[in-house]
């Protein structure tokens, strides 16, 4: 019987494992980097051990330190979570060699699936259908597009989509170099690329004593940067024959490597067939949707299997529910999915009834740092039908109060209500086709200006002097407040004066009441309630004040603009400013001041929140200054370079353009996007 489990991970997954341990009466131990000293998973554990440093390579990726921490904490078992060292056979062996229980599959099973080329050979011998690798020297124009993959890959490192034959040699070389840097193994291979496939997986659970369960399918096709954004169970529209075929293949895969514990067999579904992609020898990020459908706790079963329990002969029957999970990220989808950092002042998801579940590593007041993946939470909804689950999840996200950095919340709500998604027409190219529409500014129905007015009424001088609903007999100048909406940048100058007949400057609008951050406006006879909170930033060195306005169906973030602009540091025309905090990891070979550059030419690469972002020249011209060197830490707005356009005068400094990276971000076929992960914190797809 396990007494204390150390979770060799952080954030959301650590909190989730602790929850089950508490329910089973098992004590818990956390590890934390210096950046995570105040993190939620540290607060929730019974005890915690510090890992000196902040970078993953010196903390969560140090197997020796993790084993030492488990022994120091008095743990008798280690759960690796997902990402980091969860699929590292040497770490699993080190845990076992220290006399600890490893809550995961045998090291030999992990090793068998660690290299994609080896895994494909084993699965082919086990009878699974998969794509044939292509000889890079024999690829023809008729084979295009093709996908270059790192054999030891994960998280999309060492992965390239190639659409032009002349580009293949260079992409092979670049992918190999990136794979060598990321995994210490530069081997790559080439296979056909499917433009609009579906990413479908089967959850398995094995006891290592001959018992293997399959627990239905999951569809994980909605992806950005080849990383999953929305997942659901069961996968819609497969048909019973294909589902049974995939389940048989998953059992064969598990038995071929003597698997034990929870795992996932992943497939690409195209043209009515399921092709083996890879096997994840760990718990998946999206496991909650399977738990909702089967009324099962997969972590509890991981612990039981680790204690030597056998599985009952038959798995539990599905409940008939449909479950959908959305990953809520601190990122700006409209700006190349750029990760965001800062204080999460408030984070409240409405948990109405029993149909909503939230797994998170953050709470209100926590800091979203720059060292790790920017996922705030997984929000899961289930319902009697797929449509009911989608509606419930969209509604919960819409009513969630998030006061802090920009998130992908609006994108998730729109995705869940998109006609193609509701029709079950999901595929890995969904965001390639629809991102512009899903991130476009919402039609202005007048509510944006009403929200700005609500902010001004709750935030301005007029209310405090006049009182709620107050008015004067003598006319006076309009009260004026100015705001900039985030993240779209729209500006609002709100002028108002409260009178007995309404609000001057806003025909048809009447102030019903305003107190303690709650403002009620009547607009053309319809009441709208707004909750307004202002969070100061400048006094803490965190940027300007922001006003967060929430209604029952919408949310706005406004930057309060000063009446008179403060003097700002002058920038040379064409200045490129860092769009996010991060570290300069490399500069284009041979790049120096005085060089001619073309628009779109990569100048340097920033690493932030485990992603690598390529910064490109916004215009064709001359590089007149370069202020970046590998290893330099930069904040938002740091001057990186200056490009003087050919024959064009550019006023002031602008945020650097973030463009498509050299790599993509996972192992499911899809189109390249803006950034590639740089460590193993997140589920690779």
């Amino acid at each position: 019987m396990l007494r204390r489990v150390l979770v060799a991970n952080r954030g959301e997954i650590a909190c989730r494992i602790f929850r089950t341990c508490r329910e089973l009466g098992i004590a818990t131990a956390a590890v934390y980097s210096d950046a995570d000293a105040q993190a939620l998973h540290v607060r929730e554990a019974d005890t915690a051990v510090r890992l000196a440093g902040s970078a993953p390579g010196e903390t969560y990726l140090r197997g020796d330190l993790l084993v030492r921490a488990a022994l120091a904490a008095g743990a008798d078992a280690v759960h690796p979570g997902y990402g980091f060292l969860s699929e590292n056979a040497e770490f699993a062996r080190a845990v076992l060699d220290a006399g600890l229980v490893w809550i995961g599959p045998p090291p030999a099973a992990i090793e068998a699936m660690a290299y994609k080329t080896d895994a494909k050979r084993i699965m082919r011998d086990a009878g699974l259908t998969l794509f044939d690798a292509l000889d890079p020297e024999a690829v023809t124009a008729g084979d295009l597009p093709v996908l270059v993959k790192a054999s030891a890959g994960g998280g999309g490192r060492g992965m390239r989509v190639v659409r032009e034959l002349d580009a293949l040699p260079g992409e092979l070389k670049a992918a190999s170099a990136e794979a060598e840097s990321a995994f210490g193994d530069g081997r790559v291979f080439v296979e056909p690329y499917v433009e609009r496939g579906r990413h479908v997986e089967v959850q398995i659970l094995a006891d290592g004593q001959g018992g293997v369960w399959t627990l239905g399918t999951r569809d994980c096709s909605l992806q950005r940067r080849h990383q999953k954004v929305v997942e659901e169970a069961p996968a819609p529209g497969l048909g019973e024959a294909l589902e049974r075929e995939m389940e048989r293949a998953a059992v064969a895969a598990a038995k071929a490597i003597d698997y034990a514990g929870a795992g996932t067999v992943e497939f690409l579904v195209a043209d009515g067939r399921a092709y083996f992609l890879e096997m994840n020898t760990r718990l998946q990020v999206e496991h909650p949707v399977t738990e909702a459908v089967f009324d099962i706790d997969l972590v509890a079963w991981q612990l039981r299997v680790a204690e030597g329990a056998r599985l009952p002969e038959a798995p539990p029957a599905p409940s008939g529910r449909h479950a959908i999970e959305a990953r809520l990220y601190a990122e700006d989808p409209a700006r190349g999915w750029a990760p965001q950092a800062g204080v999460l002042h408030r984070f409240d998801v409405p948990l109405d009834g029993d149909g909503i579940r939230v797994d998170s590593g953050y709470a209100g007041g926590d800091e979203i740092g720059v060292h790790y993946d920017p996922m705030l939470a997984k929000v899961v909804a289930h319902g009697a039908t797929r449509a009911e689950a989608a509606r419930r999840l969209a509604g919960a996200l819409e009513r969630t109060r998030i006061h802090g950095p920009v998130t992908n919340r609006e994108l998730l709500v729109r995705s869940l209500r998109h006609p193609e998604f509701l029709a079950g027409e999901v595929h890995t190219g969904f965001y390639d086709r629809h991102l512009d529409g899903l991130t476009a500014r919402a039609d202005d129905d007048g509510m944006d200006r009403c929200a700005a007015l609500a902010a001004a009424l709750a935030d301005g001088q007029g209310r405090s002097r006049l009182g709620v609903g107050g008015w004067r007999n003598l006319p006076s100048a309009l009260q004026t407040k100015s705001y900039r909406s985030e993240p779209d940048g729209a500006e609002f100058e709100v002028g108002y004066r409260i009178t007995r007949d309404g609000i001057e400057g806003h025909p048809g609008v009447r102030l019903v009441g305003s107190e303690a951050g709650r403002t009620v406006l009547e607009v053309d006879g319809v009441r709208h309630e707004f909750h307004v909170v202002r969070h100061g930033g400048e006094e803490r060195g965190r940027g300007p004040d922001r006003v967060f306005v929430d209604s029952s169906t919408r949310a706005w973030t406004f930057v309060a603009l000063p009446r008179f602009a403060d003097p700002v540091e002058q920038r040379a025309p064409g200045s490129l400013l860092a769009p996010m905090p991060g570290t300069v990891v490399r500069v284009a070979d041979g790049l120096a001041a005085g060089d001619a550059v073309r628009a779109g030419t990569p100048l340097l690469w920033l690493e932030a929140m485990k992603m690598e972002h390529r910064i490109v020249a916004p215009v064709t011209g001359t590089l007149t200054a370069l202020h970046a060197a590998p290893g330099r830490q930069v904040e938002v707005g740091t001057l990186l370079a200056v490009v003087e356009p050919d024959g064009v005068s550019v006023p002031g400094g602008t945020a650097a353009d973030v463009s498509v990276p050299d790599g993509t971000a996972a192992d499911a076929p899809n189109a390249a996007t803006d950034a590639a992960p740089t460590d193993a914190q997140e589920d690779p797809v």
Side-chain angles (χ1 to χ4, degrees):
M1 297 291 290
L2 300 179
R3 294 177 295 103
R4 184 184 298 274
V5 171
L6 178 130
V7 178
N9 217 296
R10 64 175 300 278
E12 167 268 323
I13 187 57
C15 294
R16 188 266 171 272
I17 296 167
F18 292 157
R19 183 170 68 243
T20 290
C21 287
R22 285 194 298 270
E23 292 172 357
L24 296 178
I26 299 173
T28 59
V31 288
Y32 65 92
S33 68
D34 290 339
D36 276 340
Q38 304 302 320
L40 182 61
H41 78 276
V42 179
R43 306 197 298 268
E44 290 200 348
D46 295 321
T47 190
V49 180
R50 177 187 175 226
L51 305 174
S54 293
E58 58 188 7
T59 54
Y60 299 110
L61 292 174
R62 285 283 302 276
D64 57 334
L65 298 183
L66 295 169
V67 170
R68 194 181 307 165
L71 296 173
D76 52 7
V78 172
H79 194 306
Y82 58 73
F84 290 136
L85 296 180
S86 62
E87 295 181 280
N88 186 295
E90 290 305 312
F91 177 52
R93 288 193 180 96
V95 169
L96 295 169
D97 289 346
L100 302 167
V101 175
W102 170 251
I103 304 173
I110 298 174
E111 208 161 49
M113 295 293 101
Y115 292 92
K116 291 181 174 61
T117 48
D118 295 342
K120 287 176 178 289
R121 175 182 52 78
I122 294 170
M123 293 300 105
R124 186 185 299 279
D125 292 343
L128 277 70
T129 302
L130 45 89
F131 289 114
D132 292 323
L134 302 173
D135 180 357
E137 301 295 328
V139 172
T140 67
D143 295 320
L144 299 176
V146 297
L147 197 63
V148 179
K149 290 184 180 180
S151 180
R157 302 288 282 166
M159 180 176 172
R160 303 289 190 280
V161 177
V162 182
R163 302 180 185 277
E164 298 179 3
L165 197 58
D166 291 345
L168 182 57
E171 296 288 22
L172 284 165
K173 182 178 179 180
S176 178
E178 186 179 26
E180 178 67 37
S181 173
F183 313 114
D185 187 323
R187 290 181 293 172
V188 298
F189 64 98
V190 179
E191 68 181 19
Y193 172 71
V194 177
E195 298 277 4
R196 290 181 50 140
R198 290 180 61 185
H199 185 110
V200 181
E201 57 194 31
V202 176
Q203 175 70 55
I204 63 168
L205 189 66
D207 58 19
Q209 304 174 65
V212 180
W213 284 355
T214 60
L215 295 166
T217 59
R218 295 189 290 253
D219 191 293
C220 310
S221 299
L222 263 64
Q223 302 172 4
R224 57 93 166 103
R225 299 192 318 265
H226 299 286
Q227 288 186 317
K228 301 165 187 173
V229 177
V230 176
E231 304 104 334
E232 59 182 304
L238 291 179
E240 185 175 352
L242 186 56
E243 286 182 358
R244 299 292 86 78
E245 175 191 332
M246 295 172 67
E247 289 172 350
R248 286 193 296 269
V251 171
K255 291 187 173 181
I257 58 172
D258 296 323
Y259 199 75
T264 299
V265 183
E266 304 197 337
F267 301 88
L268 178 72
V269 174
D271 301 323
R273 302 189 68 186
Y275 299 87
F276 171 80
L277 281 176
E278 64 180 350
M279 183 174 180
N280 292 129
T281 53
R282 54 168 168 77
L283 191 69
Q284 290 280 88
V285 175
E286 59 272 20
H287 74 274
V289 293
T290 297
E291 293 183 323
V293 169
F294 283 87
D295 282 324
I296 190 174
D297 186 329
L298 287 170
V299 172
W301 273 107
Q302 284 186 297
L303 298 170
R304 294 181 188 121
V305 168
E307 290 177 327
R310 298 183 69 109
L311 295 175
E313 184 174 346
S319 64
R321 299 170 178 157
H322 197 97
I324 304 176
E325 171 182 290
R327 301 191 191 187
L328 185 63
Y329 285 96
E331 66 182 11
D332 188 347
R335 289 183 54 239
W337 311 95
Q340 307 291 300
V343 178
L344 184 64
H345 299 285
R346 183 175 183 179
F347 181 45
D348 293 323
V349 182
L351 300 176
D352 301 327
D354 64 353
I356 297 292
R357 165 177 166 178
V358 180
D359 286 7
S360 179
Y362 290 95
D366 287 349
E367 178 97 14
I368 303 169
V370 300
H371 297 284
Y372 313 111
D373 184 88
M375 186 172 74
L376 301 181
K378 303 178 310 194
V379 184
V380 187
H382 66 75
T385 65
R386 183 173 184 270
E388 183 178 304
R391 182 175 61 191
R392 180 174 287 165
L393 181 54
L397 288 167
E398 196 171 49
R399 296 191 304 276
T400 295
R401 293 189 181 178
I402 309 172
H403 298 171
V406 173
T407 73
N408 68 337
R409 185 255 301 273
E410 183 64 23
L411 174 86
L412 295 174
V413 172
R414 293 184 182 188
S415 298
L416 292 164
R417 291 172 174 167
H418 194 279
E420 279 191 20
F421 178 82
L422 292 175
E425 298 172 9
V426 290
H427 54 80
T428 54
F430 181 84
Y431 286 124
D432 296 324
R433 293 184 60 198
H434 300 300
L435 184 61
D436 288 346
L438 291 168
T439 57
R441 181 175 172 80
D443 292 338
D444 187 2
D445 54 3
M447 294 309 296
D448 288 355
R449 184 158 292 278
C450 286
L453 174 60
L457 289 167
D459 190 42
Q461 297 295 319
R463 181 174 61 84
S464 61
R465 287 205 308 268
L466 298 176
V468 175
W471 54 273
R472 296 180 177 183
N473 285 325
L474 298 176
S476 62
L478 296 181
Q479 301 287 333
T480 302
K481 299 286 288 184
S482 295
Y483 300 100
R484 183 177 65 250
S485 176
E486 286 191 339
D488 54 59
E491 294 197 0
F492 297 87
E493 184 174 275
V494 183
Y496 66 93
R497 181 170 60 245
I498 301 170
T499 71
R500 67 176 69 195
D501 298 318
I503 302 178
E504 188 175 336
H506 300 270
V509 180
R510 185 174 70 87
L511 176 63
V512 177
S514 183
E515 58 184 2
R518 174 179 171 271
T519 298
V520 181
L521 299 177
E522 185 180 280
V523 183
D524 295 329
V526 179
R527 286 194 177 192
H528 299 272
E529 183 172 311
F530 301 90
H531 294 267
V532 184
V533 178
R534 179 173 182 144
H535 291 286
E538 292 180 339
E539 70 278 5
R540 300 177 62 187
R542 303 185 189 282
D545 289 359
R546 284 174 169 78
V547 183
F548 297 91
V549 181
D550 297 285
S551 75
S552 60
T553 58
R554 296 272 295 276
W556 296 263
T557 301
F558 297 109
V559 175
L561 302 178
R563 257 185 100 181
F564 304 102
D566 295 327
V568 297
E569 181 183 356
Q570 295 300 308
R571 297 292 191 188
S575 296
L576 293 179
L577 311 181
M580 65 197 72
T583 303
V584 178
V585 290
R586 64 184 188 275
V587 176
D589 291 342
L591 187 67
D595 288 352
V597 296
R598 294 184 61 82
T601 300
L603 302 181
L604 57 100
W605 287 257
L606 283 180
E607 183 179 302
M609 289 179 163
K610 88 164 198 166
M611 292 177 289
E612 193 171 276
H613 303 264
R614 188 167 69 184
I615 307 300
V616 304
V619 295
T620 297
T622 302
L623 181 70
T624 59
L626 181 63
H627 300 285
R632 183 187 179 192
Q633 299 281 334
V634 300
E635 298 297 328
V636 174
T638 299
L639 181 64
L640 300 174
V642 179
V643 177
E644 183 176 308
D646 289 343
V648 179
S649 176
V650 177
T654 58
D657 286 346
V658 180
S659 185
V660 177
D662 285 341
T664 52
D667 193 44
N670 203 342
T673 49
D674 77 317
T678 56
D679 66 57
Q681 155 62 11
E682 186 57 89
D683 188 15
V685 285

